Structure formats: C-alpha cells, structure tokens
Amino acid sequence: MSNIDLSRFHRAFFDESLEGLDAMEAALLRLDVGQADAETINLIFRSAHSIKGGAGTFGFTAVAGFTHLLETLLERVRSGQRQVSQADVDLLLRSVDVTRAMLRAADGGDAADVDAVARLGAELEQALEMKPAAVAPVAVASAAAGWKIRFLPKSDIFASGNDPLRILRELDRLGQARIACDSQALPALADAAPETCYLSWTVELRGDCDEGAVRDVFAWVEDECELEILPLPSAEEEGAKDAQPPAAGAVAHPNPSPEGRGAEKPKLKVVEGGKEPTQERRSGDAGSIRVGTEKIDALINLVGELVITQAMLQQIAGNLDPVQNEKLLQGLSLLDRNTRMLQEAVMATRMLPVDAVFSRFPRMVRDLSTKLGKQIRLETVGEGTELDKGVIERIADPLTHLVRNSLDHGLENAGQRIAAGKDPTGTITLRAAHQGGHIVIEVADDGRGLDRERILAKAAERGIPVPANPVDADVWQLIFAPGFSTAEQVTDVSGRGVGMDVVKKNVQALSGQIEISTRPGQGTCVTIRLPLTLAILDGMSVRVGDDIFIVPLNCVVESLQPQAGQVRTLSAGARVVKVRNEYLPLAPLHELFRIRTDAPEPEAGILVLLESEGRKVAAQVDELVGQQQVVIKSLEANYRRVGGISGATILGDGRVALILDVAELVRGYARAAAA
Amino acid sequence: MSRILAVDDSTSMRQMVSFTLKSAGYDVAEAADGLAALELARQEKFSLVLADVNMPNMDGLSLVRALRGLPDYKFTPLLMLTTESTPEKKQEGKAAGATGWLVKPFNPEQLVATIQRVLS
C-alpha cells in the first residue's frame, strides 16, 4: 500500500483549494461585520478547514500550518467565542492572499514570500493570543511483559457500529492474546435481545507493546465499555480459571473461542452472516466532474467535423429526387437536427458563468476604493450569463482595466459627489447578458462622465489626429488611441494610459466590439459585445476566382460596387478608392493571394470595406456569396502559418475556405502607406 | 466485496480516499455532501461509511445521525473523517452515533489499516 503516489491528487487539490479561497474571499467581502451571518462564517470556515486537511494529507506542511492558524481563528468565530471585527476581515483577506501565494508556490509557481507568510502567521497568532504550544503530555511507555485487559462492553455497544470481535482481533495483532469470554450475563435464549451485548472478555496480552497501543484499540469505545488495563506481572502462568467456555450460538454475533495456551496464536474465526446481497453497482456521482479542457476541445473539434460532414450530406441530398428518396431525406433532416443539438450541448460544456471573472472585482473595488479614498459600491447583474472559457480568460484583463478606469477617473470622491448633488457613494455596475449569438458586457459608472473639451485638448497635445467638427462619438473614440490618457496625474491605480487602446485591441482580437456612451455628470458606460465562443465565427463568404474566402462579419463595414473614376492610382502603383471623401487603400485579394480571376479590374468586382483597429481598407473580391457561421480550424495546426490568413474552415461541399486576417491586412496597408 | 461510501466536499480528498480504498480492493462510491450521501445510502446498503465532518448542505454529524436512524445502518460502521482531534469533537461524533474516527491528516496506509481493521 505504501506505493500510492499522492501527487496524482495534487492537481485536484490545488484547483479546489484555489476555488475555496475565491469562495472564502467573496464570503469575507460580503460579511456584515456587525451581524455576521452564520452560514457565511461556516462557508469561510469550511474553506480554510478543507485546505488545511488536504494540505496536511498531501504533504504541504507550510500551507497546513498556516491554514491551521486561520482555521483556529475561524473556529472561534464560528463557535461564538469571538466577534468578528473589520480588522479580522482584513487579516483574513490578507491571509487568503498569502495562502493563495503559498499554494501557487507549491504548485510549481514562484516561491511564496517567506517573510510575508511569517509576518502574517505572527499576526494571526497574535490575534489568537496563542501561547507557545504546550508540550502535550507524552504517555510514558511503560514496558511490561504484557497486559491483562478486562473489557466489559455496554449492552448497547452494537448500536455505535462497533463490534467487540473487531477489538479482540486487533488486540490479537498486538501480541499473543489469550482471550476468555464471560457469558454469565447471558440470559436464556427466549429472553435474549438480539441487539444486545451480554458478553464480556478478559484478555491476557503478551508481547512488546505499550499501554498506549492497547488503549488505542479501545479509543472508539472508551465510553461504551468498562475497561481495565493492568500490567501482567510476569510471564508466570495464571490459571485459566477465569476463562469460561462461551455459550455456543446464543448470540447472533460470532464469539471468539478461547483457546488453551499454546505456541500458536489463538485463531479467531469470523462467521459471515451470509447477508449482504450483491447490489447493483451505482456510480457515486458527485454532481460534477473535472475534465481537462483539451478533452473538451477534442470533442468540439470532432463535433465540428461532424457538422461539416452533415452539411456535405445535406448538399448532396439536395440533388436527389425528394419523392424517391423521401425516407433518406427524412433521416437526413433528423440527423441535421441532432447534429445541431449535439453541437450546442458540446459547446455548452465549455461555457462558464461570467461570474468567474466578475467575482474578482469586489475585492479589487474594495482595495482600490480604500486606496483612492472614495466610497464605491459594486453591483453585478447577470453574473450567471455563460460564455466560452477561452473568452472568459481573455476578457478578464480588459474588464479589469475598465473597472480601474471607472474607479480612478470616472468616479468622483465623496466631496465632489455631494457638491454635485449626488449620492456620496459612487456605483460601478457590471452587467452581462446574452443578445442573439453574442454576450454583451457593460461596465457602467455613475461618475462625472467623459469631458469632451478635455479629451480634445489632450488629443491635440498628444498629436492624435482629430476629424474636423467631430461629433461626440468621434471624440469618445479618441480615448482608444494609443498613448492617450486624461488623468491629470498618472496614478498607480490605472497606470500610464496604456489602457484603452490595449483594451480595444484585446476585444477585437476576440472578434468583439467596444462602444462608449457617456453623459456629462451622469456617468459612463462601456459596452463590449463578444461572440459566445471562439470556435465559431460569423462570416461573410466571398468569391475570388474559384476560391471562397471567409471575412469575419464584425470587420465588415459595407460593400459597394465602385464606379469608374472612384479608384485612383498613386505614384507608387498603389491604388486608393474614394468613399465619401475618404481615401482607402485598395486591396485586390486576387493579387494578394495570386489567384486567377476573370475580373481583375475593381470596377468589375465588389469592394468590401473592412475595418480593424480604427483603420480601413477596401478589399476587392469577385462576388459576395453569402453569410454563414463557420467552425474555425487552425491552419497552423493542420498546415502552417500563412500571411493574411487567420484560419480555415470547411464548406458544405467539402472545400476548404480560408479566413481572412483583417487586422493583418489593414496593418500591412498602413505600413505601406507610412513608408 | 465490501462497498464503502466516501463522503467529503473536497474533491482531492475524496479522490484520494476513493483511489486508496479501491487499490486496497474495496468498491467505493463517493458523495460530495451529507445529503447526497444519505440519498445513496438509501438506495443501497454500504458496508462502511467514511464521512467528513464539515460539509455544505448536510454536515457529517447530521449524516451519521440520519444514517443511524435507518434500519439498514443500525450496526454499520460509520467513521468520521476529521481534522479536529479534540475530545469534544470526537464526543459529538460518538453522540451522533459514529463508530469511530480517523484524524486528518492521514496517509493512505493509515486509512487502509483502519478500514481493514473495521471490515476484516
């Protein structure tokens, strides 16, 4: 048994412990110091308790030691010995951080700050007013030739699930046991209650074991028996006079048969009752299981293939005679439905509630509002809204940035708010909701709103180009420009204004959109629209020569057929197209990808205006084919990286279509224009 | 084969207990809290129940109390898995009807030794 490698459970231990810490943190934040809710306290206690237990078992002694202090403090709170104070909450929150760092360190991350651990440990000890741990009295191991044990179980000992037989058997393992049963109390069979223990035993245990080991055997039944343990004076024989033969078969429980002294250990025979019918095997379902994301991704991939195959079948079936092939077509339409349901179900396994990122904000808002000296309340709406795990992971940073911006720049301090006739406590609202195939996340504050004049002044100062007579929406867009910051001072809260352009870039990398709405004096709301999953893309399919390309729909601004004279050639040979007083670089896709086309001239084709990172190009294609959802396949994983292409998909007819990397395309033209 | 019900809200702990006992040749069912355990125990009779004390929904003491009330579990060994080695906690467990306890942290060998003692 000693070859069980506990490290196989470490992953689960780390995962659940970190989750436990998150839960603990959330509970601490909502804890009402005046009147602490028992269930919340319990939850906090349980988290600390579980981590301690696991850490001890899996050999993370430092974590176990630290969480033991936490647990002790929490136990006092739980049992009502200690009123939880604001200082306690702070201490506990910092302990959560330290525990998290220790766990990460144990999980192979950066080493935890030993000083911080020691300092906080000392603080906890101080809070507990712990005296140096008293040395537990060690039972003096008295050596004796053996023990004479008198064991009188109470009559109801069976009701605790303890079986005297088990105890006798265990004693037998400690040495040579000579067991004698006293059945004097046994009534006549007719009067005997089957669930009552009438027997008692005397055991002479010879061997090299101390009294503690003997007492341990009786640890579980201390209160369910009378026990007498005396050292055996010597190896001299004591007559077997107190040993009496057992009353055979009087009690349902098997009796140990006393045996005469011999060289052999007495054998205890267990008579199986022959009950316990074999039961149907049931799985011990615990409500959820942990599965590696790569397994789910493999599943999603396979389902993607299935959808494509299904679409292929559907296309072929379109050419069949509907009357002759009625059954086949019915079957195919059923397959279509089931495939779609399967796809949805599989996608759903990757979905997590957005709470996974929202939950980090209460702590951040609490810490930062203290730091900034502002009164701020955080409200979250729709935290149960689900979206893809990959999207959640990548939206966390942009959201953090937005919340910080609101805290730092958006919301006024209490004095300013009172002067403006507002509630001294500012509110930040995080809201998530599904809209069609998208999720919409809003970060709203009721602060001062964006200041048009200040933004324009700052843009001028930074040399950021501003359109003539800008409307408000244009002005708000300026804050997404690289290097823009309106904070009068650079603070350590929101940093150096590297934020909003990065936020926008991150959102666009997720095929999302970001919008701002604001009202002076009333607040600002930043809205992010994201696809529910990264595995599926809303695309426009366009034809170039004989090939189909997919253009991400969120990049498409408009499509137009250019008139003669709308396209001009510049000196370097590059061409631009004039669309409503704006000159856009022309990107003929057939030239870029070297595809033979019957309509090389822009006037013969269609221009699709694409936008990314605030810049536009006009992509020339032969024809718009349609709009469809496509399952994204990695080109790199299956072939190799190709410039201007972000991925591929398989069309209904089995052909591969490449997905255009609009960001790269736009950047390429911007570089060319700058050169 | 002896079938054991392991009850713990901690997944890693449950996995460890379950894996260890399975390696020792026992058949193991798992439950994440007292309520789930009670539900399973009503469906079949386990030879032994090993339960954590602190759990959401229904804690280990309440589970033991409830199990002892079931005719099938009148004499079944019910062991508490606990980090509290203080006498009061053990007393509470005994009062609820627990057979005995196993103090965390324990290693797989101790776990198997204890179970074997009870189920041999």
Side-chain angles (χ1 to χ4, degrees):
Chain A
M1 278 317 299
S2 55
N3 54 2
I4 287 192
D5 178 13
L6 287 182
S7 64
R8 68 171 70 224
F9 309 110
H10 288 180
R11 184 75 265 133
F13 166 69
F14 289 129
D15 286 352
E16 85 188 345
S17 296
L18 291 173
E19 268 172 30
L21 285 173
D22 289 347
M24 195 168 161
E25 187 171 46
L28 281 167
L29 288 169
R30 68 168 180 265
L31 195 65
D32 199 347
V33 171
Q35 39 204 345
D37 163 46
E39 190 35 48
T40 309
I41 296 277
N42 238 328
L43 193 151
I44 298 169
F45 171 82
R46 271 202 311 269
S47 303
H49 174 81
S50 288
I51 296 169
K52 176 191 145 186
T57 301
F58 300 123
F60 304 110
T61 28
V63 179
F66 186 79
T67 44
H68 174 70
L69 295 172
L70 265 181
E71 188 201 23
T72 313
L73 180 69
L74 288 163
E75 173 61 37
R76 291 195 188 163
V77 174
R78 190 168 80 139
S79 62
Q81 289 173 46
R82 184 188 180 99
Q83 274 304 107
V84 71
S85 67
Q86 195 56 49
D88 288 343
V89 173
D90 285 334
L91 181 60
L92 288 167
L93 279 171
R94 278 183 291 137
S95 305
V96 166
D97 293 341
V98 164
T99 313
R100 201 179 271 136
M102 290 172 92
L103 284 169
R104 294 235 162 90
D107 192 13
D110 296 332
D113 183 348
V114 183
D115 289 346
V117 175
R119 247 189 341 263
L120 209 54
E123 270 187 68
L124 281 167
E125 277 174 5
Q126 205 180 354
L128 290 165
E129 292 161 3
M130 285 220 301
K131 293 155 198 82
V135 180
V138 179
V140 181
S142 45
W147 304 94
K148 182 171 177 164
I149 302 149
R150 193 127 166 77
F151 173 39
L152 287 94
K154 288 190 180 163
S155 59
D156 61 352
I157 187 168
F158 296 127
S160 71
N162 276 297
D163 184 345
L165 176 61
R166 174 180 64 71
I167 292 164
L168 295 171
R169 204 186 283 128
E170 235 173 289
L171 283 177
D172 185 42
R173 280 204 195 103
L174 290 175
Q176 261 185 31
R178 213 178 118 230
I179 301 167
C181 177
D182 181 355
S183 59
Q184 274 179 340
L186 201 62
L189 185 55
D191 302 325
E195 295 176 3
T196 304
C197 179
Y198 297 106
L199 302 177
S200 63
W201 289 268
T202 308
V203 181
E204 272 180 45
L205 181 67
R206 288 185 189 279
D208 183 23
C209 62
D210 58 41
E211 188 178 342
V214 178
R215 290 221 173 260
D216 273 352
V217 174
F218 293 94
W220 292 352
V221 293
E222 264 174 345
D223 300 322
E224 279 135 18
C225 68
E226 282 173 39
L227 188 64
E228 206 179 85
I229 302 176
L230 297 169
L232 277 178
S234 70
E236 260 148 45
E237 291 189 11
E238 264 187 57
K241 53 186 177 283
D242 51 357
Q244 302 211 351
V251 169
H253 268 263
N255 295 320
S257 34
E259 288 188 14
R261 173 171 301 153
E264 277 184 1
K265 279 187 175 185
K267 290 226 172 49
L268 300 169
K269 201 155 184 282
V270 184
V271 182
E272 272 300 334
K275 38 182 185 174
E276 275 198 272
T278 36
Q279 292 264 359
E280 188 197 339
R281 217 189 146 104
R282 280 193 193 83
S283 73
D285 177 38
S288 70
I289 53 166
R290 280 178 189 283
V291 180
T293 33
E294 71 278 7
K295 283 190 192 168
I296 293 181
D297 287 346
L299 202 57
I300 288 180
N301 216 6
L302 280 172
V303 172
E305 301 279 356
L306 188 63
V307 168
I308 289 161
T309 315
Q310 199 279 326
M312 251 161 72
L313 288 175
Q314 199 82 25
Q315 201 154 350
I316 297 166
N319 303 325
L320 296 177
D321 179 348
V323 180
Q324 276 186 344
N325 301 290
E326 195 192 338
K327 287 238 167 81
L328 175 67
L329 294 177
Q330 270 178 4
L332 279 174
S333 90
L334 194 63
L335 180 66
D336 177 49
R337 212 180 70 204
N338 289 342
T339 314
R340 267 168 222 296
M341 280 162 67
L342 178 65
Q343 188 181 23
E344 272 172 32
V346 170
M347 288 294 182
T349 58
R350 263 192 74 97
M351 296 298 210
L352 285 180
V354 73
D355 193 38
V357 322
F358 278 11
S359 61
R360 66 161 69 180
F361 294 118
R363 178 73 188 275
M364 196 181 101
V365 169
R366 180 184 190 275
D367 289 355
L368 289 188
S369 54
T370 317
K371 205 166 183 175
L372 293 166
K374 295 179 182 178
Q375 295 174 23
I376 295 164
R377 176 173 52 225
L378 179 74
E379 283 176 5
T380 52
V381 182
E383 53 271 67
T385 313
E386 291 190 326
L387 79 166
D388 190 277
K389 185 172 186 289
V391 181
I392 286 206
E393 279 160 4
R394 289 163 66 182
I395 199 61
D397 282 348
L399 280 182
T400 307
H401 223 102
L402 293 175
V403 173
R404 280 191 180 180
N405 267 341
S406 282
L407 279 166
D408 198 11
H409 309 314
L411 291 169
E412 316 88 329
N413 62 35
Q416 290 166 334
R417 290 183 66 91
I418 292 168
K422 298 206 264 190
D423 179 351
T425 303
T427 305
I428 293 181
T429 309
L430 289 170
R431 195 177 284 119
H434 280 157
Q435 261 179 30
H438 288 79
I439 181 166
V440 177
I441 302 175
E442 280 177 18
V443 180
D445 65 57
D446 64 349
R448 52 172 76 98
L450 294 179
D451 184 334
R452 187 186 158 100
E453 296 315 315
R454 259 174 70 201
I455 291 173
L456 285 173
K458 185 66 71 175
E461 186 189 317
R462 299 279 151 125
I464 295 164
V466 179
N469 302 321
V471 294
D472 280 353
D474 292 335
V475 177
W476 311 147
Q477 284 300 317
L478 289 174
I479 68 171
F480 291 118
F484 187 93
S485 167
T486 54
E488 270 143 23
Q489 274 174 311
V490 170
T491 65
D492 62 344
V493 173
S494 34
R496 303 195 148 266
V498 290
M500 290 304 267
D501 60 321
V502 177
V503 168
K504 186 167 185 183
K505 214 161 158 183
N506 286 344
V507 170
Q508 281 178 335
L510 291 169
S511 304
Q513 292 157 329
I514 186 162
E515 280 161 26
I516 295 188
S517 66
T518 181
R519 287 173 116 179
Q522 289 184 29
T524 307
C525 175
V526 180
T527 309
I528 298 176
R529 268 173 77 83
L530 294 168
L532 283 182
T533 166
L534 298 176
I536 291 182
L537 175 89
D538 271 321
M540 176 185 263
S541 39
V542 298
R543 185 177 64 82
V544 182
D546 290 331
D547 289 301
I548 299 288
F549 286 84
I550 305 291
V551 183
L553 207 56
N554 67 320
C555 298
V556 176
V557 184
E558 61 174 300
S559 306
L560 53 96
Q561 196 154 24
Q563 304 299 314
Q566 217 175 339
V567 178
R568 302 192 186 170
T569 307
L570 301 182
S571 55
R575 282 178 293 178
V576 292
V577 55
K578 186 179 179 191
V579 182
R580 286 188 289 276
N581 297 325
E582 206 179 349
Y583 284 98
L584 307 177
L586 179 76
L589 294 189
H590 65 273
E591 282 178 22
L592 283 172
F593 297 114
R594 296 194 195 90
I595 296 166
R596 186 193 303 274
T597 171
D598 303 332
E601 288 313 308
E603 288 80 6
I606 299 271
L607 298 186
V608 183
L609 303 195
L610 303 174
E611 183 183 3
S612 168
E613 292 161 29
R615 300 199 195 89
K616 291 179 194 166
V617 296
Q620 183 196 330
V621 304
D622 292 0
E623 191 190 1
L624 301 183
V625 179
Q627 189 182 323
Q628 67 187 109
Q629 276 201 337
V630 298
V631 180
I632 301 173
K633 301 250 158 205
S634 163
L635 203 57
E636 279 160 82
N638 295 306
Y639 175 52
R640 62 177 171 85
R641 166 120 190 91
V642 178
I645 299 297
S646 64
T649 190
I650 298 173
L651 299 173
D653 59 6
R655 286 199 298 164
V656 173
L658 301 176
I659 301 168
L660 217 54
D661 187 341
V662 177
E664 196 183 313
L665 190 72
V666 171
R667 254 181 262 136
Y669 277 91
R671 267 198 302 275
Chain B
M1 184 158 52
S2 296
R3 199 151 141 77
I4 296 171
L5 177 58
V7 196
D8 201 314
D9 56 330
S10 153
T11 317
S12 58
M13 204 45 107
R14 220 167 48 231
Q15 282 180 359
M16 184 274 222
V17 166
S18 172
F19 183 85
T20 305
L21 293 179
K22 279 177 184 160
S23 313
Y26 295 103
D27 197 2
V28 185
E30 297 175 28
D33 63 38
L35 227 47
L38 193 57
E39 188 55 40
L40 285 177
R42 283 204 171 106
Q43 290 167 16
E44 67 176 297
K45 186 179 182 325
F46 291 95
S47 331
L48 184 147
V49 180
L50 188 64
D52 189 24
V53 175
N54 291 290
M55 292 183 292
N57 300 328
M58 182 192 269
D59 65 23
L61 294 174
S62 310
L63 171 65
V64 165
R65 227 170 272 131
L67 285 175
R68 273 286 175 251
L70 301 177
D72 264 354
Y73 288 88
K74 218 166 169 178
F75 307 118
T76 307
L78 307 177
L79 303 188
M80 311 290 321
L81 206 57
T82 170
T83 49
E84 283 110 339
S85 47
T86 55
E88 307 89 73
K89 281 288 164 191
K90 290 175 181 168
Q91 257 348 53
E92 271 183 66
K94 291 296 295 184
T99 305
W101 53 82
L102 197 61
V103 178
K104 287 197 251 184
F106 53 84
N107 59 36
E109 293 76 31
Q110 290 167 320
L111 171 65
V112 171
T114 307
I115 300 297
Q116 278 173 344
R117 255 164 46 189
V118 182
L119 286 182
S120 56

